[in-house]
Amino acid sequence: MNGYELVVLWFAWIVAGGSPGPATLSIAGTSMESGRRSGLMMSLGILVGSASWGLAAAFGMSAIMLANAWVFETLRYVAAAYLLFLAFKSLRSALTPQTDLHQKAFSGSLKQIFVRGMLIHLTNPKAILSWGAVYAIAVSPSAKTADLLWMFGFLFSGSILIFIGYALLFSTEWVVAGYQRMRKGFELGFAALFGFASLKILTTRLL
């Protein structure tokens, strides 16, 4: 991938990671209810869970794609289907009543909050699907493990930005108020971006 494509991929990763879901809603709710320290601990736990799936996918995908090129093409369609699912989910969320972020809050010791955050991502099948799909889209079938690890670090920097950013922002009152006012517009934008990305994957020959 060239520099422009990498920038687009990183932006798409951030958009996907920042869209409402178990991880982001849990960070937002915990930050609002229990404060910034608790929100940051929740985000750190989620990042550990995300890194676990990302590294597992990197090591596994390297061997699988080298041995079976068809897996690479299959995952392309899996990735497109997943993006269509995200587009539908965002559209449905925009058309439903407002989500109460307070219902997603976690309390307890910082250690307990960290563990809960980690478990949120470790038990989320979409996390491993996301990592595996993006490796199939962005890395060639002959990629070495080092290339996949570089891609992991590149994308994980976006995950850090999103999850830590959620904790910092949603522990600020004016951000919460602004999000609640503009939620529908954000969700419609997410739906359009995911739909466009899915179409782009399906119409671009990767092999």
Side-chain angles (χ1 to χ4, degrees):
M1 301 185 77
N2 58 38
Y4 171 75
E5 291 170 334
L6 285 173
V7 171
V8 172
L9 175 64
W10 195 76
F11 177 73
W13 183 260
I14 288 179
V15 171
S19 63
T24 53
L25 292 178
S26 296
I27 294 172
T30 300
S31 299
M32 290 168 56
E33 287 290 289
S34 303
R36 181 165 293 178
R37 288 182 64 194
S38 295
L40 286 170
M41 193 57 64
M42 172 66 72
S43 66
L44 289 176
I46 288 172
L47 283 169
V48 170
S50 178
S52 299
W53 281 128
L55 291 172
F59 285 111
M61 290 298 296
S62 177
I64 291 173
M65 288 193 301
L66 284 172
N68 304 281
W70 63 269
V71 174
F72 184 82
E73 189 71 10
T74 299
L75 283 177
R76 179 173 79 147
Y77 293 103
V78 171
Y82 176 59
L83 288 170
L84 281 176
F85 165 75
L86 290 178
F88 172 77
K89 182 180 176 182
S90 296
L91 181 60
R92 184 179 61 180
S93 179
L95 301 177
T96 55
Q98 186 165 294
T99 301
D100 185 359
L101 295 178
H102 293 276
Q103 295 178 356
K104 298 293 185 179
F106 287 88
S107 59
S109 68
L110 294 179
K111 181 179 179 180
Q112 290 174 325
I113 291 174
F114 173 84
V115 172
R116 287 171 180 170
M118 183 171 60
L119 290 175
I120 284 173
H121 238 49
L122 288 177
T123 57
N124 183 2
K126 289 187 292 185
I128 184 63
L129 177 60
S130 299
W131 281 108
V134 79
Y135 285 142
I137 295 168
V139 184
S140 70
S142 60
K144 300 181 183 299
T145 299
D147 298 322
L148 291 168
L149 289 176
W150 182 90
M151 183 61 66
F152 162 78
F154 176 68
L155 295 175
F156 193 64
S157 66
S159 298
I160 293 173
L161 178 66
I162 286 297
F163 295 139
I164 296 297
Y166 258 76
L168 296 176
L169 290 174
F170 279 90
S171 55
T172 306
E173 291 185 5
W174 66 268
V175 172
V176 175
Y179 172 81
Q180 301 289 23
R181 287 195 304 269
M182 298 183 291
R183 183 188 66 87
K184 182 174 291 188
F186 278 123
E187 294 287 4
L188 290 174
F190 289 143
L193 286 170
F194 290 141
F196 174 78
S198 178
L199 181 62
K200 183 68 174 177
I201 290 171
L202 289 173
T203 56
T204 300
R205 184 172 179 79
L206 299 177
L207 292 177

